[in-house]
Amino acid sequence: METKTKVQTNGSIPIYGLGLLKSMYVTMRTLLKRSVTVQYPRERLPIPALSRGRLIMKGAIDEAVPDVLVSDVMPPCQVACPANVDARGYIGLVAAGRYDDAFELHLEKNPIPAIIGRVCPHPCEDACRRGEEDEPVTICWIKRFMADNVSAERLNKVYTPPKIRKGKKVAVIGAGPAGMSAAFYLAKCGYDVTVFDRFPKVGGMLTVGIPEYRLPESIVEKEVENLKRLGVKIQLNTPFGPGGLTLDDLKKQDFAAVFLGIGAHEPMELEIEGEHLIGVIPGEVFLARDRLGQDIGMGKKVAIVGGGNTAIDCARVALRMGADKVTILYRRTRKEMPALDAEVEDALEEGVKVEFLVAPVRVLGRDYVKQLELLRMELGPPDESGRRRPVQIKGSEYTIDVDTVIPAISRTPETDWLKEAGLDCNKRDAIVVDPETGRTNRENIFAAGDAVTGPSIAIDAIGTARKAAMGIDRHLNGGQLSEYWSNAFNREDTMKNRYEDLPNREHPEKLDPKERITNFDEVEKTYPRTIAIKQAERCLSCMTQRCIACHICEKNCPTRAITVRDSQNGERMVDVYELDYGRCQFCKICVEMCPTTTLSHTPDFGLGTYTRKGAVYGKNRMLGVDQ
Amino acid sequence: MEEIKHDEQLLQTDTMDLNIGPHHPATHGVLRIVATLDGERIIKAVPYIGYLHRGVEKLCEDLTYMQITPHFDRTDYVSNINNELSYVMAVEKLAEIKVPERAEFLRVIMLELNRILNHLIWVGSFANDVGLFGTAFMYSFRDRDLIQRVMERVTGARVHYHYLTYGGVREEVHDDFEADVKKLADWIPGRVDEYEMLLEDNEVFRARTIGVGVLDKEEAINYGCSGPFLRSTGVPIDLRKLEPYSVYPLFDFDIPVGKNGDAFDRFKVRMNEMRESAKIIKQAIEGLPGGPIRAKVPRKIRLPKGEVYIRTENTKGEFGVYLVSDGGEKPYRLKLRSPSYTNLMYGSRVVEGMVLPDVVAVLASVDIVLGCIDR
Ligand SMILES: Cc1cc2nc3c(=O)[nH]c(=O)nc-3n(C[C@H](O)[C@H](O)[C@H](O)COP(=O)(O)OP(=O)(O)OC[C@H]3O[C@@H](n4cnc5c(N)ncnc54)[C@H](O)[C@@H]3O)c2cc1C
Ligand code: SF4
Ligand code: SF4
């Protein structure tokens, strides 16, 4: 009795019997109250128009470059892509099994996905947000899978010439990726396009540069067929410049505008003694001769000078052409090599030797190449490109026996004939243009691709060519962009519903090195369906502002205050998002880590008293309360 | 013989051990000092630390580099941004990240505002501890709030700012930031004058600080003391000048030092430091460049293998971070060097031979934060 009274007067809770239950109830209730459990909004959140890039593409000149305006809301992959291809969009569609739609979406920025899916050094993957978590999404291989699996009907639909005709003729000089892209977009806008090239084959560097085992000619031919179906005329074996046509000839033939996509085909010289002996073949010439079926003139012991992808290509082609010994000579180390790591690996696998820290000083021999004199190098301090500059080691000369030397160092555009025609070129022989419209200093003449940027990669050529095509369109269409550009794919549709935890990229099947050096068969295969879809589902759908249940916020919360529970109906969606305000330290790391930017904050997400301007979403939005 | 001995024993009283703290307002946290007293004289004062030990260093081994930063706000919770700086600089050094200029300027502005915040809180509580209860404390906390408002508008937090990150700062400042900060920088020196007016000529204050807790220059150096504590003895060591980092070399400012190394000098040094900070802030806000506030750095950074020790001048002295990376996404080891710790160790030596009330005055003048000592 006594105790009881005591407890009651103290006003605390009894510790036995019913009272115990009650006290447990009170404790539980307070504990439960501390965390706020809410239903996560399941409907799609509205996407601001700006994040989509396309909606504002009509009208004034400045608005025609939406990519620049919205770069801060594009996903990292799209920002990193020189042509700003919407990787997130088509990956989402591939994940949903809608390859046709993915293909069509892709064409908005890149009309030759099957080719790019094979040869692109994929800067997008280097930037991929997933790469920060584990390994980047295999964007390029997914692209290739998608391009190889488009249905014939969709191809028919895409490649029918548009009904609205503009009745104006446009000439495209150069049938490389730049020329092909410009031709595609202009034909889509309703112009009559004629493509000229001096080679007997279409594709530019894609055909005469990139070897068959990486890009089979049949793939390029398919793209050309498609272009023809769009109504593009292709006129091969038609050189411009000395001994060929001139720009004025085109004017006489009623071409309203000219697109120059002549690439960079002039090999740079080593500038050493003996460079003009027989047996010294510049890399580009070597590869072109191979592809055009000309006599190559290669011996058995081949030395290749350079560290880029061209050098690797030359080495692997030389092996396949029957050389006994192929050595690549590079003046820096493996770390500085500009060639892609995977390519170098492949070449080493096939038996190519690479000598680092050497530079050629002299080619020895009478008439024919006999020997190559080399000098050892060491790395000095970094130069302006950030790579360490090679410095010669005096007196370290030595010679090796070779019968073929292939310099593959760099190349410049052949623009002498254009300079004569009055076009502005810079000191590296590249054509000077307005970067947003591709316009040169001469009326009606536009340029893009390697001819403008100097040696670069194919997707870069495509990106610049697309801008130039827009420039031409606006120019010929009375200052307005054609309707084609505004027929955007419905982006909301591309949003992904599933997400895959799988941490690793999967490599598509490759031919065995021993087998592959005997022929020019394609080394890498296309993904099979199941793998492609699994890999596509690894994409984090960056910046879509829609939660994909990746749990990254949960994993990265330093105080483990977040609990994300997936929905139980098999779909990867979040049902419950729980934030324990008793633990949260308001560090906003979850916001920073969320790849989709679903989570964002205002200072009222925290213990502050003042509101900062400009922040839109906050605790309320996260918790599904009215904003 | 016997009798004489007896007399000596009569003169001596028994020593007494007195517990100061762990829960006592004058210990500025949870610190226990066991003072051995002979009458009112202190024979020995031994600080017992660890009541606020949270295992931060060990904890950091299990956190990614991004997750670690907010913990630095919480080591010394009065000079938050200053602590973050040592850590982010360590990461930046290992990862070879270059910080954009605008970010560096913003950092300096926030660092110096933070330094003023620290010294304001110190002057208030110091006055309290030496017996001037109330006025200075109220004033300093009011002033603190005005600065905190500006910082909060930028960082979103009043105390645990979490403003720095490797590669720059986390938030862009608001539109009125420049005007706000300029106003602050103009207004602070006047406030400092007022504190001086309030305390300097106060008889109680002088009686309890002048000649109290006099430090020995050499011994202070031997103990590894740093910051205003060391500078009060006249040693002009400040890492911002000695080993310039960030954009400090661009600014014109002085390092205030004391002469006698007593509690009064420590007060003077800190007051003058606030003036210097205001000077730096003014220059920084006038020269604030445009541009990005953050370098492009992956969110989940993996540092190359290696080790690095970075020390910066935080509000209390040399705050160091020793970081060992084994190439993973979490540090292999992270060790902090806390200025409060070394300063306290010497501070508790100095009180030997003083009377008991002076312990409180000396302890207050050291400026310790137990969160940083215990970690
Ligand atoms: C060996 C090698 C390997 C490469 N590998 C890759 C790779 O794996 N991935 C990648 O993305 N990029 C690669 N590249 C780069 C890529 O091929 C080029 O960046 C891209 O082809 C440039 O496109 P373009 O349309 O601007 O020029 P090109 O492709 O060079 O096309 C220019 C066309 O214009 C024609 N032309 C030039 N002058 C005249 C004239 N006066 N009259 C008529 N026609 C003319 C040429 O015959 C040519 O067909 C490689 C390049 C080389 C050399
Ligand atoms: S995760 Fe997906 S959306 Fe994000 S960068 Fe990678 S490919 Fe692009
Ligand atoms: S990080 Fe973003 S997308 Fe991923 S689960 Fe959290 S809220 Fe959803």
Side-chain angles (χ1 to χ4, degrees):
Chain A
M1 250 337 258
E2 224 187 10
T3 4
K4 214 171 181 182
T5 343
K6 210 174 169 191
V7 170
Q8 277 169 351
T9 47
N10 272 354
S12 37
I13 299 156
I15 44 158
Y16 47 81
L18 259 185
L20 176 68
L21 271 182
K22 193 178 164 202
S23 76
M24 275 169 71
Y25 167 72
V26 170
T27 326
M28 288 308 289
R29 203 182 54 191
T30 18
L31 275 179
L32 282 174
K33 256 194 192 155
R34 270 185 45 195
S35 68
V36 193
T37 306
V38 284
Q39 207 64 17
Y40 198 82
R42 283 182 129 249
E43 85 281 12
R44 265 170 207 167
L45 300 169
I47 298 164
L50 269 182
S51 71
R52 286 311 164 155
R54 199 58 183 282
L55 292 169
I56 46 161
M57 208 182 280
K58 27 190 146 95
I61 297 227
D62 301 329
E63 286 175 3
V65 253
D67 303 346
V68 181
L69 298 175
V70 300
S71 66
D72 49 341
V73 278
M74 286 197 284
C77 50
Q78 193 175 1
V79 175
C81 175
N84 297 133
V85 177
D86 184 2
R88 171 186 70 196
Y90 69 76
I91 289 176
L93 290 168
V94 169
R98 295 163 56 191
Y99 319 133
D100 287 356
D101 291 342
F103 182 75
E104 208 171 321
L105 170 74
H106 201 112
L107 292 189
E108 280 177 12
K109 293 285 172 72
N110 167 10
I112 50 172
I115 296 175
I116 297 301
R118 286 175 163 79
V119 303
C120 196
H122 43 69
C124 52
E125 289 182 18
D126 299 340
C128 174
R129 172 72 176 81
R130 185 80 203 233
E132 284 176 32
E133 295 304 318
D134 31 57
E135 289 178 6
V137 177
T138 51
I139 304 176
C140 200
W141 288 325
I142 292 171
K143 184 205 302 277
R144 174 175 166 173
F145 165 80
M146 166 205 85
D148 287 357
N149 282 283
V150 192
S151 66
E153 300 96 73
R154 189 57 71 99
L155 283 179
N156 277 340
K157 189 190 144 215
V158 170
Y159 290 110
T160 31
K163 290 200 190 65
I164 310 163
R165 308 301 308 171
K166 293 272 165 45
K168 283 182 182 155
K169 280 167 63 177
V170 181
V172 171
I173 305 179
M180 282 158 86
S181 308
F184 173 84
Y185 289 117
L186 291 170
K188 272 283 195 190
C189 290
Y191 296 96
D192 297 319
V193 185
T194 312
V195 179
F196 299 91
D197 202 298
R198 58 177 178 192
F199 285 140
K201 284 183 180 173
V202 187
M205 272 304 178
L206 299 176
T207 315
V208 301
I210 300 176
E212 179 96 42
Y213 61 85
R214 280 212 284 140
L215 178 62
E217 211 167 313
S218 57
I219 302 285
V220 183
E221 271 160 14
K222 232 198 262 162
E223 298 288 351
V224 176
E225 281 312 308
N226 287 339
L227 275 187
K228 283 188 185 152
R229 269 154 68 186
L230 254 186
V232 175
K233 290 191 216 63
I234 295 177
Q235 206 171 316
L236 299 175
N237 297 315
T238 317
F240 279 74
L245 294 174
T246 63
L247 293 177
D248 292 333
D249 290 337
L250 290 176
K251 213 171 185 178
K252 274 179 220 141
Q253 289 179 31
D254 276 347
F255 282 105
V258 180
F259 173 87
L260 294 169
I262 57 170
H265 282 244
E266 181 119 9
M268 294 248 270
E269 298 198 335
L270 286 171
E271 288 168 1
I272 58 173
E273 198 186 316
E275 190 167 359
H276 301 290
L277 293 177
I278 300 174
V280 181
I281 320 167
E284 288 76 18
V285 178
F286 172 79
L287 293 169
R289 280 188 195 161
D290 165 39
R291 291 306 288 277
L292 298 175
Q294 296 162 357
D295 176 32
I296 292 185
M298 185 190 77
K300 286 285 176 200
K301 280 173 282 182
V302 182
I304 293 150
V305 185
N309 282 324
T310 311
I312 305 283
D313 281 342
C314 291
R316 293 175 72 185
V317 167
L319 268 187
R320 284 167 172 77
M321 300 296 294
D324 287 341
K325 199 172 160 218
V326 180
T327 317
I328 294 178
L329 307 168
Y330 182 52
R331 53 194 185 130
R332 295 188 170 102
T333 64
R334 170 90 190 249
K335 213 173 120 216
E336 285 84 16
M337 236 175 155
L340 280 186
D341 253 0
E343 301 263 321
V344 181
E345 219 97 284
D346 280 354
L348 291 175
E349 247 177 46
E350 287 170 10
V352 172
K353 297 255 160 353
V354 190
E355 275 291 326
F356 293 106
L357 293 168
V358 284
V361 277
R362 229 161 14 136
V363 188
L364 304 170
R366 275 172 61 200
D367 297 350
Y368 290 92
V369 174
K370 275 244 150 59
Q371 279 182 320
L372 187 60
E373 188 174 309
L374 301 171
L375 191 65
R376 284 253 161 239
M377 311 290 260
E378 63 189 353
L379 289 183
D383 60 7
E384 53 299 343
S385 74
R387 289 186 300 175
R388 294 177 66 189
R389 189 196 298 276
V391 190
Q392 298 179 347
I393 305 176
K394 286 255 150 52
S396 66
E397 290 90 347
Y398 67 104
T399 55
I400 57 170
D401 292 341
V402 291
D403 44 25
T404 307
V405 177
I406 303 179
I409 37 178
S410 190
R411 52 210 161 87
T412 54
E414 293 165 72
T415 45
D416 288 345
W417 62 283
L418 290 172
K419 281 182 205 151
E420 274 165 30
L423 256 66
D424 263 354
C425 293
N426 67 14
K427 57 180 186 298
R428 266 177 269 117
D429 285 342
I431 307 170
V432 179
V433 299
D434 168 25
E436 295 310 334
T437 57
R439 199 187 284 255
T440 66
N441 63 329
R442 263 191 67 177
E443 181 81 20
N444 296 340
I445 297 183
F446 295 75
D450 280 5
V452 168
T453 57
S456 178
I457 57 175
I459 191 70
D460 199 3
I462 292 170
T464 51
R466 182 173 175 276
K467 279 189 183 158
M470 275 165 95
I472 293 177
D473 182 34
R474 187 178 299 106
H475 181 65
L476 297 183
N477 203 27
Q480 292 283 315
L481 281 177
S482 295
E483 207 192 326
Y484 166 73
W485 304 105
S486 52
N487 280 339
F489 199 90
N490 179 6
R491 298 303 160 98
E492 287 229 10
D493 224 30
T494 66
M495 299 226 286
K496 216 164 62 124
N497 266 336
R498 286 185 48 80
Y499 164 74
E500 175 60 54
D501 268 334
L502 192 77
N504 300 99
R505 295 151 68 80
E506 190 141 348
H507 205 288
E509 243 181 273
K510 271 207 283 190
L511 286 186
D512 184 64
K514 279 204 205 70
E515 187 192 325
R516 67 185 189 227
I517 57 167
T518 58
N519 56 39
F520 277 87
D521 288 349
E522 197 170 9
V523 171
E524 270 173 8
K525 301 261 174 290
T526 309
Y527 269 150
R529 207 186 102 88
T530 44
I531 295 184
I533 290 184
K534 256 228 145 66
Q535 291 291 324
E537 279 168 358
R538 291 185 66 233
C539 170
L540 293 169
S541 303
C542 301
M543 317 284 193
T544 49
Q545 299 196 344
R546 182 178 173 222
C547 177
I548 51 155
C550 64
H551 291 239
I552 285 178
C553 49
E554 189 185 26
K555 276 182 237 157
N556 281 289
C557 175
T559 60
R560 298 180 175 75
I562 299 174
T563 317
V564 175
R565 252 179 273 138
D566 289 347
S567 76
Q568 300 300 311
N569 59 10
E571 250 182 22
R572 241 345 243 267
M573 271 182 117
V574 165
D575 252 4
V576 175
Y577 185 94
E578 217 174 273
L579 181 65
D580 185 344
Y581 277 106
R583 288 183 143 195
C584 178
Q585 57 175 350
F586 307 103
C587 65
K588 300 169 218 149
I589 284 179
C590 50
V591 172
E592 206 155 303
M593 298 305 274
C594 175
T596 60
T597 58
T598 306
L599 297 181
S600 39
H601 67 85
T602 54
D604 64 342
F605 172 66
L607 301 173
T609 34
Y610 305 93
T611 319
R612 221 171 332 146
K613 211 176 93 218
V616 189
Y617 316 110
K619 174 173 62 190
N620 293 344
R621 157 85 178 269
M622 250 173 68
L623 299 181
V625 187
D626 272 354
Q627 285 186 24
Chain B
M1 282 287 274
E2 282 272 275
E3 289 228 325
I4 294 168
K5 215 174 179 186
H6 188 69
D7 272 352
E8 267 181 359
Q9 273 174 353
L10 269 183
L11 281 172
Q12 275 180 343
T13 51
D14 275 348
T15 59
M16 181 179 84
D17 283 352
L18 181 69
N19 255 322
I20 309 175
H23 293 290
H24 190 282
T27 56
H28 297 255
V30 204
L31 168 70
R32 175 178 170 222
I33 298 175
V34 178
T36 312
L37 298 174
D38 178 9
E40 254 214 303
R41 297 248 158 238
I42 287 167
I43 298 176
K44 204 170 165 197
V46 183
Y48 286 84
I49 60 171
Y51 293 93
L52 270 185
H53 178 64
R54 289 142 296 161
V56 172
E57 291 178 5
K58 190 70 192 166
L59 187 63
C60 288
E61 290 170 20
D62 199 35
L63 294 173
T64 62
Y65 291 105
M66 160 94 58
Q67 292 176 336
I68 290 173
T69 331
H71 283 283
F72 276 79
D73 285 317
R74 289 155 176 84
T75 49
D76 176 347
Y77 32 74
V78 196
S79 63
N80 325 57
I81 297 187
N82 282 278
N83 305 344
E84 289 171 27
L85 182 74
S86 284
Y87 170 67
V88 297
M89 275 174 63
V91 176
E92 279 158 9
K93 177 122 191 223
L94 261 189
E96 294 176 13
I97 298 166
K98 199 167 163 352
V99 182
E101 210 179 12
R102 182 178 174 79
E104 291 278 25
F105 271 70
L106 287 178
R107 275 182 185 185
V108 166
I109 293 169
M110 297 302 262
L111 287 170
E112 293 309 315
L113 283 176
N114 197 207
R115 192 180 309 277
I116 293 170
L117 283 189
N118 178 77
H119 289 355
L120 281 178
I121 213 172
W122 175 84
V123 68
S125 53
F126 182 57
N128 245 0
D129 286 351
V130 295
L132 302 167
F133 196 80
T135 316
F137 193 78
M138 290 303 177
Y139 279 16
S140 75
F141 269 72
R142 185 197 61 193
D143 294 350
R144 238 175 89 81
D145 210 70
L146 293 177
I147 301 175
Q148 267 178 325
R149 277 184 204 185
V150 175
M151 294 180 74
E152 189 197 329
R153 276 191 81 185
V154 179
T155 63
R158 283 174 63 78
V159 176
H160 296 310
Y161 303 107
H162 192 194
Y163 186 54
L164 308 192
T165 181
Y166 35 83
V169 296
R170 295 181 81 210
E171 316 266 353
E172 185 52 277
V173 294
H174 52 274
D175 294 343
D176 317 332
F177 179 74
E178 285 182 35
D180 285 355
V181 172
K182 246 184 219 144
K183 233 189 276 162
L184 283 182
D186 287 341
W187 165 86
I188 286 161
R191 299 300 304 158
V192 177
D193 292 346
E194 196 169 329
Y195 292 117
E196 283 190 342
M197 241 147 55
L198 191 66
L199 298 173
E200 222 172 54
D201 298 327
N202 183 303
E203 212 173 317
V204 178
F205 187 79
R206 290 180 83 87
R208 298 226 36 206
T209 55
I210 294 179
V212 171
V214 182
L215 311 181
D216 181 65
K217 228 188 238 181
E218 268 165 42
E219 218 170 322
I221 292 173
N222 287 349
Y223 265 83
C225 299
S226 52
F229 186 68
L230 174 64
R231 287 196 285 275
S232 68
T233 64
V235 182
I237 283 187
D238 187 316
L239 293 172
R240 290 174 295 174
K241 287 276 189 201
L242 193 72
E243 264 178 20
Y245 50 89
S246 191
V247 282
Y248 277 111
L250 298 182
F251 305 123
D252 170 38
F253 64 101
D254 295 322
I255 303 300
V257 290
K259 233 192 286 161
N260 310 321
D262 56 7
F264 187 77
D265 274 9
R266 292 197 271 285
F267 164 75
K268 284 301 275 182
V269 165
R270 289 198 174 96
M271 291 302 108
N272 285 333
E273 249 180 36
M274 282 201 260
R275 293 195 177 97
E276 295 302 320
S277 290
K279 235 161 93 184
I280 299 176
I281 293 167
K282 215 164 166 181
Q283 293 168 50
I285 202 79
E286 267 156 21
L288 184 66
I293 54 162
R294 206 162 166 176
K296 246 184 124 41
V297 188
R299 270 151 281 226
K300 243 198 196 156
I301 196 167
R302 282 183 183 81
L303 296 189
K305 244 185 200 164
E307 53 181 345
V308 61
Y309 178 72
I310 292 283
R311 51 181 192 162
T312 61
E313 187 76 22
N314 89 350
T315 56
K316 305 186 172 61
E318 173 186 334
F319 185 81
V321 168
Y322 172 62
L323 176 67
V324 186
S325 159
D326 58 357
E329 60 187 33
K330 295 170 180 171
Y332 174 77
R333 174 82 171 95
L334 197 131
K335 164 98 179 81
L336 312 185
R337 187 239 186 247
S338 138
S340 292
Y341 180 82
T342 36
N343 292 355
L344 171 68
M345 291 309 129
Y346 184 46
S348 56
R349 265 282 283 122
V350 167
V351 294
E352 283 171 20
M354 292 180 180
V355 288
L356 181 62
D358 286 345
V359 176
V360 174
V362 173
L363 193 65
S365 76
V366 176
D367 190 9
I368 51 168
V369 160
L370 272 305
C372 192
I373 292 175
D374 296 343
R375 305 195 277 280

